[in-house]
Amino acid sequence: MKWKIIGKILILDNDYDDLSKSHLESLRDKFHVKSIVKIDHIEGSLREPKTEILLGDSTETIHKENGCYFKLDLSKVMWAKGNTNERMRIAKLVKDDEVVMDMFAGIGYFSIPIGVHANPRKVYSIELNPNSYEFLKTNIELNKINQKAGYEKMVPILGDCRFEAPKYKADRILMGYVKITHEFLPAAIGSLNPGGIIHYHETVPEKLMYTRPVDRIKEAAGDREVNVLDFTKVKKYSPGVMHIVVDAQIE
Ligand code: SAM
């Protein structure tokens, strides 16, 4: 039985067997959590979890990671635990006074660490799911990002990044999505300042991971020069499929 703890909630993976109430209660006391849930799967373009409460009555919690606080409701939004290192890697790359765009912000998985650990001038955090967007706003306040800056440094935007991105220009654009991220490359590159950097996530068959993502970036960049700066394997996404990130500077 595999499990993970998010905030004060113990999540059992979906191959757990039927545990008795007393076994669940002993797990709750052992891990000092308030609820125990099972997440069957994540579905749809909004990446919504299908959650079942096994013990306790709440799926809302505050999770702390890398000195950042994330309020979330596990029955409404997912928690991508596998991306922890990547979230900090990006936060450390952000230079002072940069303008950053987070195209698939979620509850602020990448935006919040950038706001807490880096010193950008502005972060446009775009999110389509109204539930995630509400938590994104909460998490900007919870981490006091705009309060400490003394201005609206981090701007939460509810909408489809295809239509929102063209309203802004950025020096660094995060494309943390899966399966169809390439469809958003034209919007991203259209918003990227000359010499800016995109962090392009792709879930890709292992045999194509060193070619298809970069080819797609170059195709979307047209006559703008593409320099690949880095290539990161984030995690195994599914059998034979990797979640990778290409850092590319586009002139
Ligand atoms: N970028 C974060 C990360 O990598 O950890 C979140 C990843 S999560 C898989 C993708 C997020 O993108 C979800 O919160 C989903 O609602 C949002 N999303 C999906 N389509 C979108 C779109 N067209 N515009 C903005 N957000 C979108």
Side-chain angles (χ1 to χ4, degrees), residues 42 44-48 77-81 83 86-87 102-110 126-130 132-133 157-164 174-178 180 184 201 235 237 243:
I42 305 283
S45 66
L46 302 187
R47 315 301 298 140
E48 291 169 309
V77 298
M78 57 168 286
W79 178 263
K81 201 159 172 63
N83 300 359
E86 181 60 14
R87 294 194 262 267
D102 186 357
M103 290 179 85
F104 303 92
I107 63 169
Y109 304 98
F110 281 101
I126 307 170
E127 172 53 40
L128 183 60
N129 180 332
S132 300
Y133 172 74
I157 298 161
L158 175 61
D160 183 327
C161 61
R162 259 174 295 228
F163 310 121
E164 295 304 323
L174 317 180
M175 301 183 73
Y177 197 41
V178 290
I180 58 166
F184 299 83
H201 293 232
K235 62 180 181 286
Y237 184 77
H243 173 176

Side-chain angles (χ1 to χ4, degrees), residues 182-201:
H182 59 287
E183 293 177 9
F184 299 83
L185 277 166
I189 294 173
S191 295
L192 189 70
N193 290 326
I197 295 171
I198 61 168
H199 299 282
Y200 169 69
H201 293 232

